[in-house]
Each structure stands twice: as structure tokens, then as C-alpha cells.
Amino acid sequence: MRVRSPRLVAALAAAGIGLGSALLGAGPAMAATVPTLTGPASVVGWNWATLHGKADPGATIRLREAAYVYRDDMYYSEAFFPEDVVTATADANGDFTLRRRLDSGFVFVAEANNTVALRSAPLYVGIVPKPTLELSVSGTNVSVRVVSEPGQAFLPVKIQRQSGSTWQTLVEGQTETEGVYQTVLTGQSGAQNYRASVGPDDANRVLVGNSVVVGINGGQPNPPTDPTTPPTTPTKPPTTTPTKPPVKPAPAPLVVKPGDVRFSLIVFDPAGKDTTSKLNQEYFRITNYTSKTFNLKYWTVKDRAGNTYRFTTDFYLRGKKNVYIPTGKGTNGRPSNYRYWGRKGFIWDNGGDSAYLRTGTSKLIDSCRYTKNSKGKTYC
């Protein structure tokens, strides 16, 4: 190939003309496309939301998220369940699909190619509670137990009785830990139909959901009917007194308060050089300072950068006991009070960081902030 004259190159450069522009003509630069993201306005119960989007073909897409109540503190999503899809590659048409399970109202953003400027507009997805209503009858008293899905505390609850084509609210309250609400209705007689209505909670983007209809017929609950199906005409109460003893209401769930369960130690900089063989020497410890036992299922620990550890299965932390979570891999339950994060790199910042402990309903229970120190650990 012939080499162009250096003088010609220099002349073009001096004139501010690139070789490609001079020989071929300047063309407009192709700007990267900001992704779009669409999805359902809400899901029913503890369920998955399937999200669809458009981006440049071949773009790498990462999902960012936050519970709606923490929508100003978004972080990169992690796959906690096999069905979760939090990363994708846009196909030849630029289409991609993501999937995430919701336990509250959420906000999502799709980011292309790890570029802040290539983030979609936020997508808000609410959640409709799916309550279960259980009744037991003793004389004219009806014991009521409601279990809401998702299992959030402090959701408004209404217990309603059918009156013709309308529903009369008999009592109002709110869910406690694990989404449970209990009460006793007095002075109930004859054949009646009841339902539980849960929500709304605007702060968490929780909408209103109704249980199936449950009837009582002369002292015994009828099989539940779908809330969208008109109830059948109540039958005549039996003349005999039922011999089956009433079912006692379940004990009230434990309510965890901020300070009950706290960070007690974070080892963020183990002694010596940082190598992957020492990942499990970096860990944090959580302590139950009460005499109660709490199930930490779906609780999360998050650092300032958004790295999140979640208790995905039942873990009962007894009173005055600890649980240790090393950063690396291991077998949960070995030792019995150990759970492993399973990461391939160090998490906690040696120069200072913050840790946040939240329940499965995103209620902040504790936080711990530390700065750099020579000991490489902090007692929160």
C-alpha cells in the first residue's frame, strides 16, 4: 500500500481536517441508545414481575432496583431465586427480558454497558396483597386470623361481613410481623360471609387486596369462595349443636423492634495481605439481644455500595445468640451459627463503610458505620 505524503497529512491536520473526513466526507457519530424498560403496574402476592426493554443490539443490560420506600437508594440487583433474571444481552432486535420476585412495591432501572448515562427511566411496580382468611367459631364469637402475602408488618387490615351486595367493615387493624393479623368478632350468629381486605400502604406502593370469601354456617366455617365469584345463598343453620371443639387462635407473632437484633462486630480488614484464601476471615456478626427467637428469613444486610446478603431460607436466631456471615464460600450450618455470603472478592471497605440490617419487609432494624482503624474491625 502506498504511504501518503507526510506533508499532506500535516497540512490536513493543520486545517483541522481528518484523513477520513477529507477523503470520504464526515458522517454523524452513532450515539448509544438509552434503554427503555416496561413491565406490569403491579403483581399479586409474593410473585415475579417480568420486565421487557429495548436497547442497542448486543448491549449488556444490568437491572438496578430498590424497594419503593428506599427508591432514592438504588443498587444493582442480585438473583436470589433461580427464576430471577437480573442481567441480559439485547438480541439482534435490541429486545431483552428481565425477571424479579417482589416482596413489596419496587422501582427498577435498566442500565446498558455499565454506563450511568445509559440508564432507563425508572419503572415503578406495585404489589397487591394476597391475604388468607381463617375463621374458627365458638358460640357467637368468631376468631379471625389473617396472613398477608407478602408478609409485611403494619399493613392496614379490614375484616368485613357481607350485607346484601355490599361489605360492612366490622373491625380495622394492622398486620404484625410476618404479615399476621388476629382478632375476635363477638355477637356473630346465623349464616354469614366474611372477607379480609389488606392495604393500601402508599409509602411501600402496596395496593389493596381482598381474601377469598369465607362463610360460617351455624357455627362452622364454609369452604372459601373466590372473591370474584358471587357467594351462594346461605343454607339454613343446623339444629344440632356442633361437638367439635373450636380451634384456638394461633399465638400472636413476635414483633421485632429496632435494637432487638443488631450488628455486634464487623471484621473488615483481616490481618496480613488481602488474598482470596482469607475471604472467610472477613465477616460480620449479628446478635439477638432479647430473650425471644426471631426468624431471619428474607432479612438483608447491605453495605454502602449496595452489595446485599439475604437470608433466603429459615434461620431462627435464638435469644442472646449470634450468627456469623463470612464473605467467602462455605456450607451453611457448619458451624451451626454460620451462614456464608459466597462471594469471590472482599466486600467491606477498609477505608470506611456502612452496614444496614433490614427485615424481609424492608424495615430498618440496625445500622453500623465505621472508619479506617489499625485493628481492621469494629464493634458496632
Side-chain angles (χ1 to χ4, degrees):
M1 184 175 66
R2 190 175 67 174
V3 179
R4 295 185 177 86
S5 167
R7 291 184 179 180
L8 175 59
V9 175
L12 291 172
I17 304 174
L19 287 174
S21 298
L23 298 175
L24 303 175
M30 296 297 292
T33 302
V34 175
T36 61
L37 189 65
T38 60
S42 62
V43 299
V44 178
W46 191 45
N47 212 335
W48 279 270
T50 300
L51 315 177
H52 301 281
K54 279 276 192 181
D56 287 331
T60 299
I61 306 298
R62 294 181 69 186
L63 186 65
R64 290 175 59 83
E65 67 176 45
Y68 182 76
V69 69
Y70 300 114
R71 55 193 176 275
D72 296 327
D73 187 19
M74 299 187 72
Y75 51 90
Y76 291 108
S77 306
E78 294 188 42
F80 295 115
F81 303 93
E83 297 87 351
D84 286 343
V85 180
V86 298
T87 61
T89 300
D91 65 17
N93 296 318
D95 297 318
F96 63 87
T97 300
L98 303 167
R99 202 161 185 254
R100 195 71 170 90
R101 194 171 195 175
L102 275 64
D103 54 7
S104 178
F106 261 73
V107 57
F108 297 103
V109 165
E111 179 183 284
N113 299 329
N114 294 315
T115 303
V116 174
L118 298 180
R119 290 180 178 173
S120 70
L123 171 67
Y124 299 97
V125 182
I127 190 166
V128 178
K130 187 179 179 181
T132 299
L133 175 62
E134 301 171 1
L135 303 178
S136 62
V137 183
S138 178
T140 59
N141 293 337
V142 178
S143 295
V144 177
R145 186 172 188 264
V146 179
V147 181
S148 175
E149 180 189 317
Q152 291 192 18
F154 310 114
L155 292 178
V157 179
K158 293 180 180 179
I159 305 302
Q160 299 177 321
R161 185 177 62 197
Q162 191 171 26
S163 177
S165 60
T166 63
W167 289 91
Q168 175 189 3
T169 298
L170 303 180
V171 65
E172 298 185 40
Q174 63 180 19
T175 58
E176 299 184 10
T177 302
E178 306 299 331
V180 175
Y181 170 77
Q182 297 181 112
T183 190
V184 176
L185 306 176
T186 60
Q188 307 298 301
S189 61
Q192 305 287 352
N193 289 317
Y194 300 88
R195 75 177 185 185
S197 179
V198 177
D201 177 9
D202 294 338
N204 288 286
R205 210 176 182 89
V206 177
L207 309 178
V208 177
N210 296 322
S211 73
V212 298
V213 177
V214 179
I216 60 172
N217 184 9
Q220 293 297 322
N222 291 327
T225 59
D226 188 276
T228 60
T229 304
T232 57
T233 303
T235 57
K236 183 179 179 180
T239 56
T240 58
T241 302
T243 58
K244 184 179 179 180
V247 178
K248 293 182 179 180
L254 295 177
V255 177
V256 61
K257 303 184 298 298
D260 286 352
V261 180
R262 306 196 300 268
F263 294 105
S264 54
L265 173 65
I266 300 177
V267 178
F268 56 86
D269 186 14
K273 185 178 180 180
D274 286 348
T275 62
T276 55
S277 63
K278 297 171 62 178
L279 275 177
N280 285 342
Q281 294 180 35
E282 180 188 78
Y283 64 90
F284 62 89
R285 182 179 70 195
I286 296 174
T287 302
N288 181 353
Y289 286 88
T290 75
S291 58
K292 305 173 184 177
T293 297
F294 296 108
N295 187 358
L296 303 190
K297 186 177 182 179
Y298 304 131
W299 285 38
T300 60
V301 172
K302 184 171 72 172
D303 73 348
R304 192 165 53 197
N307 298 299
T308 305
Y309 173 81
R310 178 177 294 215
F311 292 85
T312 57
T313 58
D314 289 327
F315 183 86
Y316 294 93
L317 184 59
R318 292 182 295 168
K320 312 300 182 182
K321 298 296 183 180
N322 303 311
V323 58
Y324 295 81
I325 294 87
T327 298
K329 296 182 179 181
T331 301
N332 289 335
R334 297 184 180 178
S336 61
N337 59 340
Y338 274 66
R339 305 275 287 204
Y340 294 86
W341 201 325
R343 302 299 291 263
K344 297 179 180 179
F346 292 96
I347 294 295
W348 302 105
D349 194 330
N350 293 349
D353 210 336
S354 297
Y356 305 93
L357 175 65
R358 292 187 173 100
T359 68
T361 62
S362 296
K363 178 182 179 181
L364 184 64
I365 294 298
D366 190 38
S367 62
C368 177
R369 180 178 178 273
Y370 66 85
T371 56
K372 183 177 181 179
N373 65 67
S374 59
K375 296 181 179 179
K377 60 184 176 181
T378 183
Y379 294 94
C380 302

